[in-house]
């Protein structure tokens, strides 16, 4: 069996930390095990364009494994020339880099490691909210660059205590985000999801479900996106939906870049409709994105705003 790993290059960092498994150097730690079973393993980070190593080896690979944040995009075109492909595995959570319709048509199984990073993402969401609302990045940059204009930073620095905070999606990650935010004593914790939390968990967190997304957004000082990317969430946060948000709210997206329309979010930050945006995702991954630099543009550096060709209105979201 031929297994194709599409990972990222870590260089010296892979030697410094052998547990950094998702890189070409450490190969998820599976080379010896696979070869001991008589299988072939090909590992590459070259995944762009028709002459890439990914395109070369996908032709006869039976299994492809890639990570969600340095993905090899498995398009219909690639699937149709992968005559032996039986299995696509995401070494993490989220398989939106795979054309699932084409995979289904060709009877290719798609798997991911559900729940593998929920704690890390939930903590990252809370960190991003704090960095954004406390206006940390401009303060840090000012000090490092020799400035000491305290008022310039303080006027846009706020507490999350007493704020209304809402999550779009309240699955494994969204629920953990709410749990971690409760000790900050927010005014209210809200969530939007087609499926409610278990009553005992909802009571424990002190969260309230809002039936309509627009109604939740209108109440929130801070909104965090914790839903998966699929056709009904692609481009969900566009100009129209953002206009329904409370003016001057903060938006955090650690889910998938394409859930937000990059240009619309950037325009909202410039205009003041959004006080700031914080994200660690883009679409496609590692591509450039609009990055407004105005007094109101408190964005978490340097990551980005997702791009999307679609500007769909809201439909119910599944939990994650």
């Amino acid at each position: 069996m031929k297994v194709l790993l599409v990972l990222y290059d870590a260089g010296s960092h892979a030697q410094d930390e052998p547990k950094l498994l998702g890189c070409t150097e450490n190969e998820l730690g599976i080379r010896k095990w696979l070869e001991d079973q008589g299988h072939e393993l090909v590992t590459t980070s070259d995944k762009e364009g028709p002459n890439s190593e990914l395109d070369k080896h996908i032709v006869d690979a039976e299994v492809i494994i890639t990570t969600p944040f340095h993905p090899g995009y498995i398009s219909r075109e690639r699937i149709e020339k992968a005559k032996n492909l039986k299995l696509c595995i995401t070494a993490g959570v989220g398989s939106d880099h795979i054309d699932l319709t084409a995979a289904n048509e060709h009877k290719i199984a798609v798997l991911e490691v559900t729940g593998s990073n929920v704690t890390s993402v939930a903590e990252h969401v809370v960190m991003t909210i704090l960095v954004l609302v406390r206006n940390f990045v401009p303060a840090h940059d000012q000090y490092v660059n020799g400035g000491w204009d305290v008022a310039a930073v303080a006027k846009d620095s706020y507490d999350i205590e007493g704020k209304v905070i809402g999550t779009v999606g309240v699955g494994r990650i969204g629920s953990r985000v709410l749990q971690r935010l409760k000790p900050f004593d927010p005014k209210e914790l809200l969530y939007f999801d087609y499926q409610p939390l278990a009553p005992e968990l909802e009571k424990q967190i002190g969260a309230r479900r809002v039936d309509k997304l627009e109604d939740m957004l209108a109440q929130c000082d801070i909104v965090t996106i914790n839903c998966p990317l699929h056709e009904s969430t692609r481009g969900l946060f566009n100009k129209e939906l953002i206009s329904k948000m409370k003016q001057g709210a903060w938006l955090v997206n650690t889910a998938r870049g394409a859930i937000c329309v990059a240009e619309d979010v950037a325009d909202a930050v410039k205009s003041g409709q959004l006080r700031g945006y914080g994200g660690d995702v883009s679409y496609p991954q590692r591509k450039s994105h609009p990055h407004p630099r105005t007094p109101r543009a408190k964005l978490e550096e340097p990551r980005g705003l997702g791009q999307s060709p679609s500007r769909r209105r809201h439909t119910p979201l599944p939990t994650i």
Side-chain angles (χ1 to χ4, degrees):
M1 181 174 67
K2 182 173 181 177
V3 179
L4 176 59
L5 283 184
V6 185
L7 306 174
Y8 64 93
D9 298 322
S12 61
H13 305 299
Q15 297 177 344
D16 297 341
E17 181 46 76
K19 292 181 180 178
L20 196 65
L21 296 178
C23 58
T24 55
E25 294 83 358
N26 293 332
E27 300 179 307
L28 299 178
I30 63 174
R31 176 172 288 279
K32 184 178 185 306
W33 177 78
L34 279 174
E35 291 181 343
D36 285 348
Q37 309 300 314
H39 305 304
E40 177 187 2
L41 178 65
V42 175
T43 302
T44 185
S45 61
D46 181 20
K47 55 185 182 290
E48 304 294 338
N51 298 317
S52 67
E53 288 295 300
L54 169 55
D55 281 88
K56 174 183 173 182
H57 289 286
I58 199 173
V59 174
D60 59 350
E62 294 172 73
V63 178
I64 293 178
I65 307 174
T66 187
T67 57
F69 289 109
H70 293 269
Y73 284 91
I74 311 303
S75 63
R76 174 177 288 277
E77 180 182 9
R78 282 173 164 165
I79 286 173
E80 288 179 348
K81 67 181 181 181
K83 302 304 181 184
N84 297 333
L85 189 59
K86 300 178 180 66
L87 180 62
C88 290
I89 301 174
T90 302
V93 177
S95 297
D96 46 89
H97 55 280
I98 301 168
D99 188 322
L100 298 177
T101 301
N104 186 53
E105 290 173 3
H106 288 76
K107 296 182 172 26
I108 298 169
V110 178
L111 283 71
E112 58 185 60
V113 190
T114 303
S116 60
N117 62 344
V118 292
T119 297
S120 297
V121 176
E123 290 183 1
H124 191 86
V125 171
V126 175
M127 179 191 72
T128 305
I129 290 173
L130 287 167
V131 165
L132 195 60
V133 176
R134 296 298 306 167
N135 203 26
F136 176 82
V137 170
H140 174 270
D141 289 349
Q142 185 197 105
Y143 188 81
V144 168
N145 293 326
W148 189 242
D149 188 352
V150 176
V153 173
K155 70 177 183 179
D156 288 316
S157 179
Y158 295 83
D159 301 327
I160 60 176
E161 180 183 35
K163 298 292 187 294
V164 177
I165 308 174
T167 175
V168 182
V170 74
R172 294 179 180 88
I173 293 171
S175 61
R176 284 170 170 80
V177 169
L178 295 182
Q179 287 174 318
R180 284 156 175 76
L181 288 171
K182 183 180 179 181
F184 287 93
D185 197 21
K187 181 178 180 181
E188 193 170 19
L189 293 171
L190 306 178
Y191 70 93
F192 171 79
D193 203 310
Y194 82 98
Q195 181 172 312
L197 289 169
E200 59 273 16
L201 181 57
E202 187 173 275
K203 183 178 180 180
Q204 174 196 333
I205 297 173
R208 177 169 65 88
R209 183 186 181 210
V210 182
D211 292 333
K212 190 176 179 183
L213 178 58
E214 290 84 350
D215 290 345
M216 187 191 81
L217 298 179
Q219 301 175 61
C220 289
D221 301 295
I222 303 164
V223 175
T224 169
I225 301 172
N226 299 292
C227 61
L229 173 64
H230 46 69
E231 283 311 301
S232 62
T233 61
R234 188 177 298 274
L236 176 64
F237 275 80
N238 57 19
K239 181 177 181 180
E240 183 176 359
L241 186 64
I242 292 169
S243 72
K244 309 292 185 184
M245 296 178 67
K246 187 175 181 180
Q247 179 147 1
W250 293 272
L251 179 62
V252 171
N253 180 17
T254 60
R256 286 294 186 269
I259 294 172
C260 292
V261 178
E263 295 78 8
D264 292 353
V265 174
D267 289 345
V269 174
K270 288 177 182 177
S271 71
Q273 173 62 22
L274 290 177
R275 192 176 296 274
Y277 172 91
D280 68 342
V281 287
S282 59
Y283 181 78
Q285 292 294 341
R286 302 178 66 190
K287 298 297 183 181
S288 60
H289 57 83
H291 195 166
R293 277 299 184 190
T294 69
R296 298 190 66 89
K298 279 79 70 176
L299 290 102
E300 185 193 7
E301 279 280 341
R303 304 179 185 122
L305 306 174
Q307 299 177 32
S308 171
S310 172
R311 301 190 175 206
R312 298 176 184 271
R313 292 299 308 279
H314 164 70
T315 56
L317 312 177
T319 55
I320 52 174

